[in-house]
Amino acid sequence: MNQNNIIMKLKNNKEVWSIKTDGFFRKQIENQLYNDDIPSEAVDDIFNNAADILNECPNPLFESESNKTGIVIGKVQSGKTSNFISLIALSFDNNYKICIVFGGNKNNLLDQNKKRLENSFQVDPEKLVIITTKDNASLMNAHVIQQFLDEGRKVIIVSLKHPKHINVINNIFANSNLCDYPTLIIDDEGDQATLNTRTFTNSMSSTYRAAIELKNRLKVHCFLSITATPQANILIETVDMLSPDFGKLVYPGNDYCGLQEFHGDNQDRYIKVIPDEEPNLLDINSTPTSIYSALASFFVGGAIRRYRGDHKNHAMLIHPSQKKYDHRVVVSKIENIMERWKMQAAIKLQGNNDISYRTLRNFLFKAYEEFKNDGVQMPEFSDIEFVILDIITKCSPVHLCNSDEDASENSKLYKYNIFVGGNMVERGITIKGLAVTYITRRARGVSNVDNTEQRARWFGYKRSYLDVCRVYTTEIIKREFSIILEHDEDLWASIERAQEKGLQFKEIPRIFILASDILNLTRRNVARAERFRFTEWIKQDKFLFDKTQCFANHELILAFRKANEKIIKDEIHNGVNIHRTMRNLDFFQLNQRLLQNFYFPIDSRVDKHFFNKVEYALKKSKINAMIDVFWIRDISHETRAIDENGRINQLFQGRNPNVNSPTFYMGDNALATQRPEVMQLQIHYVKPSNRSDIDHYSPTFALYIPQDYSEQMTRLIGKI
C-alpha cells in the first residue's frame, strides 16, 4: 500500500486524511473537462475543491463505522454537476466503492444526470457500472451489486427522489455485507424533496424517511447535499439527521455571470421591465408588446453574436406559469408570431418587398437601437439585417419544456431555440446559449428566496455574450432579485467569517439579511425563521434629496473628522478603492456627537431611532462596544441608481470575482472581516446615477454589528 495515501495530518485541530489526486478516475473526468474547453486552471480548481470536500468525508481505510452529512454550496447555473462528478471520481480513486446519486424528483432530471455521468466518465463497464432505479430494475438487488463489486467494478446508482425508488436501494443495503462498503451519497439539488416536509407535525415525510433509513443502514458513508440555495438545509434543526456537519463554498469561475452582474448596479442594462399596463401573456385575446420586443432582442442578439464569429447556440426561454395549460396557450401564441415572422423574413431574403415586413423591421430596429443605447458594440443595422432574417427562418419550432414533453432532444437539431416551460426549467435543466428570458411567474403573496432564485436560468458562464443577454420581467420580480442579491452576499459572507473563525457548520449563527416582507427564506413546512431587527450589516436604504440637510450633514462630518484628524489613516486597496479609517472609537460617544445630530430621509431603515435602539441594546447587553469608522471611497465617491421612492440600489460595491486581477477588491461588506469582532460604521458619499437633476452627494451610513453582539441584541430588542 502506498504510504502517502494513509498519512494523517492536522487541519483546524482535527484529523483529516491525505487524498490521492492523480488516480484513474480523476484522469477520465479531467480529459472530459478539457474536451469541454475548460481551462487547465479551472480544472485544477475543480479537483482542489473536490479534494477539500473529500477530506471531510470518512476515511474508508481507517473507519469501520462512521457517517458524515455535508453540504456543498455553489451558485445557480455555475457548474455544480461538474464539481460533484469530479468528487465522485476522487472518491473512487480513494477507496470508496459505491456512489448513490439522488438525481432529481422528475424523470427528465434523472435522465439528464445519468447522461452527464456517462458522458463524463466514458469508462469501460468492467471498471464502472452506472445504473438507475428507473431503467435497470432487474439489476437492483444485492446479489448483482455484490457481483459487480467482487469483480472490482465501482458502482454508481442514480435514483429518483421518490420513496419507492430510494426504498429499492434500501432493500439492496439490507444485505449485511453490502452495508460495510464505503459509500458516497450525492443529493443533487439537496434543498428540494429530500428534507422533511412534516417536521412541524412531529412526523416524517416519505422521501425523508427513506433517505434516513438509507443513512442508518450504511456503516461508512457521507451524505452530501449539492445546492445553490441552501437556506432550508441551514435553517433546519441541527439535531436533524440531514443537518450538515460540514459545509463547503464552491466559488464559480471568472466567466460566471450571476446575481451581481444581472441584478447589481448595472441591472437596468440587462433587466427590461414589462409595463404594468400591458395585457398578460396568458390573456387569450391579446398579446403584450413586450413579448414582440423580447423576440426581436433574441434575434438581433443572435445576429450580433454570429457577426462576431460566435456560432454557438443561442436560446430564449419564456417562463409564464407552472400550469401546463398556460404553457400550451403561450406556445400557440409564439408559434403564430413566428409563423408570420418566418414568412415575412423569407420573402425579404428572396429580394421581394412586402408591406407587412415594415412591422417586423420596426421591432427589429427598435431592439437594435436598445442594444446600441445600452452600449453594445455592433455594426450598422443594414450590415446585419439579412443575418437577423436568416436566423428567424432557421429558428426552431417553439419547444415545450414540462413533464409532458422533453425538449432536450429536439433542441439539438437547431442552433437557435425558443423554449416555453415552468417547473421543469427551475432546477437542474441547463439551456445551452440562453440569452433572452421572458419571465412573469412568481408565487402569489410571499415568495421563497430559494425557489425564486432557482428560476434564474439566465445565470451561467456567459461573459463572452453577456452584453446581448436580456431578461424581460415584472417590476416586482426585478425587485425580488435585487433583494436576493443582498441576501446571497450576506449568506456567503456569514459562512466565510464562521469558517475563518474555525466554527463547525452546525455552530454558524442562522441569521441572515433579508430586507423584504414579500420574501421568506424557504418553505415553512421545512424550516422556519423569525425576522430579526438586527443582522450583521444594516444599510441606509434611502437617499436624502434635501440639499440643505445634506450640506448640514457634510459640515457635521467635517467637524467630526477635524476633531479626530490625528487618528485618521488611509486604507488603499490595489490603488483603486481608497478609504479613510478611524479605529477604536466609543460607540456611545459617536452616537451622541454625530449620529443623533444627523438628518436622515423619511422612512429610512437607518435613522436616529435605529441608532438609539442599538445603543439601548448594547447597554442592556452590557457590551462595551468599540467601533471603527470608514469613509468609503473618500476621494472618488460613488454613484448608485435611485428609484422613484428614493431607494438606493445596492449601496455596497461587490467583490471582484477575479482574485488575480491587479484591481482585485474584496467588496465593501468584506471590510468587516479585518476585525470581525469590532463594530464598523461605513460612510458612503452617494449621488444618483440615473437622476441628472440631482447633483449633490448624500452621506449614507452602513453599520456592521458582530454576530456575537447581534445575537445578544436581538433578544433584547424583541422585548422593547
Side-chain angles (χ1 to χ4, degrees), residues 126-141:
E126 291 190 351
K127 292 184 179 294
L128 171 66
V129 176
I130 302 174
I131 55 179
T132 76
T133 54
K134 180 173 76 76
D135 298 328
N136 306 103
S138 64
L139 303 180
M140 290 293 164
N141 61 77

Side-chain angles (χ1 to χ4, degrees), residues 152-167:
R153 308 195 210 189
K154 306 288 186 178
V155 177
I156 298 177
I157 302 173
V158 188
S159 171
L160 274 175
K161 290 191 196 184
H162 187 283
K164 177 181 176 181
H165 289 255
I166 299 174
N167 283 329

Side-chain angles (χ1 to χ4, degrees), residues 105-109 111 321-325 327-328 399-408 420-426 429:
N105 61 347
K106 302 292 182 182
N107 282 330
N108 63 342
L109 293 180
D111 292 339
S321 165
Q322 66 176 342
K323 298 178 181 178
K324 295 177 184 178
Y325 173 81
H327 301 161
R328 294 288 181 185
H399 302 299
L400 185 61
C401 190
N402 59 28
S403 58
D404 287 344
E405 185 173 324
D406 182 358
S408 59
V420 173
N423 288 352
M424 294 309 301
V425 298
E426 279 191 21
I429 293 294

